[in-house]
């Protein structure tokens, strides 16, 4: 991803990704369909990685591997509706040699619409977990939230 076109930004250790709810994101009643929150969060994570200097596509094309979700625990708190402007706030909370844990909140103003705990594991082309590239670990380390 070319970071010149990344719609997100870092505010301190948190990554903020703004999006608008379109008709295609909603169900018949005009409320965001539950699975689309995971799509919103995925876009935010990809944007965050690009802004942190992580080139996922290059790693995949070089045969190094890619991230895969091992676990996603999501809580829905309030409905988002057609036309709403949302912000996905992402925070790295734990870094391990082969994985990263990310807390994500989907916000409408000050209201938490949904939040999730995500565990992304770096996997080899074979699908087996492997260590993340050392350069990625170096870029992530200063972004890990160490508070409450």
């Amino acid at each position: 991803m070319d970071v010149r076109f990344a719609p997100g930004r870092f505010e301190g250790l948190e990554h903020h990704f703004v999006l608008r709810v379109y008709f295609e994101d909603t169900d018949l009643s005009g409320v965001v369909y539950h699975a689309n929150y995971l799509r919103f969060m995925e876009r935010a994570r990809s944007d965050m990685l690009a802004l942190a200097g992580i080139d996922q596509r290059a790693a995949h094309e070089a045969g190094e591997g890619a991230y895969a979700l091992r676990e996603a625990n999501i809580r829905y708190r309030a409905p988002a509706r057609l036309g709403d402007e949302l912000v996905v706030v992402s925070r790295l909370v734990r870094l391990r040699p082969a994985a990263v844990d990310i807390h994500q909140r989907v916000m409408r103003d000050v209201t938490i619409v949904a939040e999730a705990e995500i565990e992304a594991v770096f996997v080899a082309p074979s699908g087996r977990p492997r260590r993340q590239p050392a350069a990625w670990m170096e870029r992530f380390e200063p972004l890990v939230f160490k508070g409450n």
Side-chain angles (χ1 to χ4, degrees), residues 5 29 31 48 51-52 66 83 85 90 99 105 108-110 115 119 133 139-140 143 145 147:
F5 301 108
S29 67
V31 172
M48 177 179 68
L51 288 175
E85 184 176 288
S90 305
R105 299 185 314 273
R108 183 184 53 246
D109 297 320
V110 297
E115 62 182 326
E119 181 183 12
R139 291 183 188 274
F140 279 148
L143 298 174
F145 183 77

Side-chain angles (χ1 to χ4, degrees), residues 17 19 24-25 34-44:
F17 182 82
L19 59 94
E24 68 186 25
D25 301 319
H34 69 278
N36 286 333
Y37 290 102
L38 290 171
R39 293 169 50 130
F40 299 161
M41 291 176 188
E42 176 64 36
R43 291 177 197 155

Side-chain angles (χ1 to χ4, degrees), residues 5-89:
F5 301 108
R9 67 187 181 289
F10 276 99
E11 292 185 13
L13 297 178
E14 292 184 329
H15 177 266
H16 291 234
F17 182 82
V18 177
L19 59 94
R20 181 165 309 282
V21 175
Y22 294 105
F23 183 77
E24 68 186 25
D25 301 319
T26 64
D27 61 16
L28 185 61
S29 67
V31 172
V32 171
Y33 181 68
H34 69 278
N36 286 333
Y37 290 102
L38 290 171
R39 293 169 50 130
F40 299 161
M41 291 176 188
E42 176 64 36
R43 291 177 197 155
R45 287 192 308 275
S46 293
D47 188 83
M48 177 179 68
L49 292 174
L51 288 175
I54 305 298
D55 190 341
Q56 295 183 92
R57 182 176 175 175
H60 175 71
E61 290 175 353
E64 293 180 41
Y67 283 115
L69 289 193
R70 178 171 174 214
E71 191 168 335
N73 294 312
I74 188 166
R75 290 168 297 285
Y76 302 98
R77 299 205 158 179
R81 300 183 187 283
L82 179 63
D84 283 353
E85 184 176 288
L86 304 175
V87 178
V88 181
V89 179

